[in-house]
Amino acid sequence: MNFPGKHLVVFFLLLITATAFSQDSADIKFSFSYERKSSQTVQLDIKAFIQKPGISFFGLQQTPEDAVFSQIVFDSAATKFLEGAIEEKGTAQTQTDPDLELPVRFFTDSVHWLQNLSIAEGDTAVIKGKLIYLYKSGTDFPSGEKDFRVVVAPKTAKAEVPADKESGAAPESLWVIFLAGLGAGLLALIMPCIYSMIPITVSFFTKRSKTKKEGIKNALLYAVSIITIFTFLGVFISLVFGPEALNVLSTHWIPNIIFFLMFVVFGISFLGAFEIELPASWGNKVDSKANSKSIVGIFFMALTLVIVSFSCTVPFLGGLLVLVSKGDFLAPIIGFFGFSLMIALPFAFFAFFPSKLNSLGKAGGWLNAIKVSLGFLELALALKFLSNADLTQNWRILDREIFIVLWVVIFLLLGLYLLGKLKFKHDDELPKNDFGLPFLSVTRLFFAIASLAFMVYLVPGLFGAPLKGLSAFLPPMGTQDFNADDLPKGFRPGTAALSGNATSEAGALPEPVKYAEVMKKNEPDVVVNNGLITYFDYDEALAIAQQLKKPLMLDFTGVNCINCRKMEGSVWSHPEVMKKLKEDFVIASLFVDVHNGVELPVAEQYFSKTLDKQIETLGQKNTDIQVSQFGTSSQPNYFFVDGHGNRLIEEGYGYDPDVKKFLAHLDRAIEAYKEAKGN
């Protein structure tokens, strides 16, 4: 079978196969990246990784004799950047294929192609193309096409981000975490399993000590041991997880689901369904070592308290872990130190003043009432973590009105419980007055009023009320299906009818197109209620900014970012700030934590060298832009660029709810844009 047109016949048959099987193959994986080689040259790197043995991947055509080969075809807009020929790298083999009866050149491991591009370091370029590949598996010749799109960003120096903006926990926020630790410790302290142990433990020290001075010394060692144990736990968490992993705990959907389940279990436990306990053998082993009068014995007594009181402390430690997950390396240490300090203080205090033990109330029904009330609050907090995961993954199982309904029910039941209308397993009867009738204490009545008042405050939210005081914690208004204003579809408060590419009254900005349908539900209330137009795609926003000749504000944010909501609610909503945002800027809200349901088109997916992974979702793309181009990963963070992506102000603006400072930063961006435009 040897005739002049044989090569053409083989190529034609393989081309038909390529058309029929034009899809990604599980046998071959690809990556697309680039590296800047000089101020004028960028090297595009396309790699093919063979996933299974026995596969022969055909390289590019090297000579006219090559009858079967793969091809790289660049988009017409990208050809102007090409510099020289494509270089193929890999261990190539050449032999006669028994099925084709032709010499073929192939790879059995991996191969990558390098293409130089002429792109100045201050320019941005989008390189699009298609890899048409062909390989042999057994006696078959599968083939496919892989579209690629690589955005070559301008080279900029990494912004110097102030430590308190970038590291996660500012010095003042460490104080907040410390105070939160004290608060969690106070709540744990008044739980029955710890509160009831205070007089027993202090009496034990005073009785076993020969002198008052020795009793005080032992009690202080006991308190220091408690602080040491819990603070060591904070150090352990910091060393094992570190600040980056702790940040993942607060944003990733899987930890949020774990926190949700954890808080539900804690809540049910506090309501009296069961007790959370460590194995009894643990406590027995530790307790056996606490009989010694030495310092070691006192330490093991403190460890016994920690283990025995596990059922009361772990819910608060869980809540504290959620808070410190938003901080830096010091956050767990500071938080757990504050928690343990509050636990230890009563033991030290009553050791100094043992006579005060008589004034310590008995661990009765009032402590159980506090425990049950905290159980209701645990269930309410659990919904927040489920909402975080729901918004990130776009499940739509806990939209705004459903969230509010559940909170209304929880706080209604809490109010009824405090009024004595509900009873749980460990509840006592209400105290009786002089006439033998049960009565409600004034303190309990006021807590019931607070719970029921909060429930009433929530009710208008079911009909679309903004509930500004809770806007940072509730799901965004865009997830609510019903609004009492009953606005027709396509309307937003303060704007004209919007659809397609129609323009709004807010600065004649075109409506967002890319990802708008799925992302508008995540728009903060302040954006929706003020008719502020924001874009969800970086490239679309750049094009609009260039078209309208306005500076572009990049708002790196997240659906689960509470500080982002605080900035929007307290700073963006200021009339002067809102006026500037609507009139002088194009805004891109780049959510970094949206993934499921917000996948990038296949043609726009690419490999990020910075993140070392394939970018497949909108959240991953926005994260890559923030990290690779702006050298930061915290939210909120605002950067200002022109229509070509060049920075107007080198540094970003992080969380700082100072309206005057933010206005000054906006003015700097406007002036910088005018100067750049003038040049």
Side-chain angles (χ1 to χ4, degrees), residues 59-66 69 86-88 105 107 113:
L60 302 183
Q61 186 178 31
Q62 301 292 320
T63 67
E65 297 300 317
D66 294 335
F69 50 85
I86 297 177
E87 180 184 359
E88 187 174 67
R105 182 171 165 276
F107 300 85
W113 300 278

Side-chain angles (χ1 to χ4, degrees), residues 82-210:
L82 302 183
E83 191 176 82
I86 297 177
E87 180 184 359
E88 187 174 67
K89 286 194 172 184
T91 305
Q93 301 179 40
T94 303
Q95 65 182 40
T96 300
D97 185 273
D99 296 311
L100 297 177
E101 298 181 9
L102 289 172
V104 293
R105 182 171 165 276
F106 60 91
F107 300 85
T108 57
D109 184 12
S110 64
V111 58
H112 66 121
W113 300 278
L114 302 174
Q115 171 66 63
N116 286 336
L117 306 170
S118 178
I119 303 173
E121 61 183 8
D123 294 340
T124 300
V126 180
I127 307 300
K128 294 183 181 180
K130 182 183 298 184
L131 171 60
I132 304 172
Y133 59 90
L134 177 67
Y135 63 98
K136 183 178 182 181
S137 178
T139 58
D140 297 327
F141 290 83
S143 61
E145 296 180 359
K146 181 70 175 179
D147 295 319
F148 61 86
R149 177 181 183 273
V150 177
V151 179
V152 179
K155 182 180 179 181
T156 56
K158 181 175 179 179
E160 293 295 329
V161 183
D164 62 337
K165 301 291 184 187
E166 178 64 11
S167 63
E172 60 268 22
S173 66
L174 288 178
W175 277 106
V176 172
I177 289 173
F178 174 71
L179 293 175
L182 288 176
L186 179 61
L187 290 174
L189 189 63
I190 58 178
M191 291 292 97
C193 57
I194 296 182
Y195 187 85
S196 60
M197 293 182 69
I198 296 175
I200 298 173
T201 306
V202 174
S203 298
F204 173 78
F205 279 120
T206 56
K207 288 178 181 179
R208 73 179 286 181
S209 304
K210 296 178 180 179

Side-chain angles (χ1 to χ4, degrees), residues 432-670:
K432 295 184 178 180
N433 59 19
D434 296 338
F435 303 99
L437 299 174
F439 73 93
L440 197 66
S441 67
V442 174
T443 303
R444 192 158 175 162
L445 174 64
F446 271 94
F447 278 111
I449 290 173
S451 179
L452 294 174
F454 184 70
M455 181 271 294
V456 173
Y457 171 76
L458 289 170
V459 170
L462 297 172
F463 307 99
L467 302 180
K468 291 184 178 180
L470 295 171
S471 60
F473 301 95
L474 299 176
M477 186 74 76
T479 64
Q480 182 140 334
D481 294 324
F482 174 74
N483 193 309
D485 292 338
D486 197 23
L487 295 174
K489 264 192 173 180
F491 279 82
R492 292 201 292 179
T495 68
L498 302 173
S499 61
N501 291 320
T503 58
S504 75
E505 294 176 355
L509 293 177
E511 271 289 284
V513 176
K514 298 191 71 173
Y515 312 108
E517 184 176 350
V518 66
M519 289 300 299
K520 274 191 176 182
K521 69 179 181 63
N522 294 314
E523 285 187 325
D525 296 350
V526 66
V527 171
V528 176
N529 295 332
N530 286 279
L532 182 65
I533 302 297
T534 62
Y535 298 89
F536 308 106
D537 180 75
Y538 175 68
D539 298 318
E540 181 183 15
L542 272 179
I544 296 297
Q546 190 171 11
Q547 173 188 340
L548 299 181
K549 294 180 173 55
K550 287 186 176 183
L552 171 61
M553 184 178 92
L554 301 177
D555 165 29
F556 290 102
T557 183
V559 294
N560 297 326
C561 175
I562 292 179
N563 282 345
C564 301
R565 303 294 87 78
K566 289 179 180 177
M567 280 294 293
E568 293 149 1
S570 61
V571 179
W572 288 32
S573 61
H574 188 277
E576 194 172 349
V577 173
M578 183 58 65
K579 185 174 185 293
K580 282 185 182 293
L581 293 179
K582 292 173 71 172
E583 295 179 1
D584 300 324
F585 292 91
V586 173
I587 302 172
S589 291
L590 305 180
F591 289 85
V592 300
D593 55 1
V594 289
H595 303 293
N596 187 38
V598 200
E599 289 82 10
L600 298 173
V602 175
E604 296 184 13
Q605 295 179 12
Y606 62 97
F607 182 83
S608 167
K609 188 173 182 179
T610 303
L611 302 183
D612 193 29
K613 65 179 180 181
Q614 186 75 7
I615 302 301
E616 298 176 346
T617 68
L618 181 61
Q620 291 173 341
K621 175 184 176 182
N622 293 334
T623 300
D624 183 46
I625 292 172
Q626 184 179 7
V627 174
S628 62
Q629 296 188 33
F630 299 96
T632 176
S633 60
S634 61
Q635 296 83 42
N637 228 312
Y638 310 107
F639 287 89
F640 297 84
V641 300
D642 61 17
H644 300 284
N646 301 315
R647 289 196 209 183
L648 300 173
I649 302 176
E650 190 63 26
E651 70 274 12
Y653 189 98
Y655 175 70
D656 188 343
D658 187 322
V659 173
K660 290 184 179 179
K661 191 179 294 185
F662 191 72
L663 279 170
H665 202 78
L666 293 180
D667 289 335
R668 280 184 62 194
I670 294 172

Side-chain angles (χ1 to χ4, degrees), residues 202-203 206 212 216 348-359:
V202 174
S203 298
T206 56
K212 181 180 179 180
I216 292 175
F349 175 81
F350 287 112
F352 277 94
F353 308 102
S355 61
K356 298 293 183 181
L357 282 172
N358 297 326
S359 62

Side-chain angles (χ1 to χ4, degrees), residues 218-267:
N218 290 338
L220 287 176
L221 287 173
Y222 183 74
V224 170
S225 297
I226 293 174
I227 294 173
T228 302
I229 292 168
F230 280 111
T231 305
F232 173 78
L233 182 60
V235 174
F236 175 78
I237 290 172
S238 291
L239 292 176
V240 171
F241 295 102
E244 292 183 2
L246 287 172
N247 184 60
V248 171
L249 285 178
S250 66
T251 57
H252 197 276
W253 71 272
I254 293 179
N256 273 286
I257 288 294
I258 293 173
F259 286 138
F260 163 70
L261 295 174
M262 184 175 69
F263 272 66
V264 168
V265 171
F266 293 158

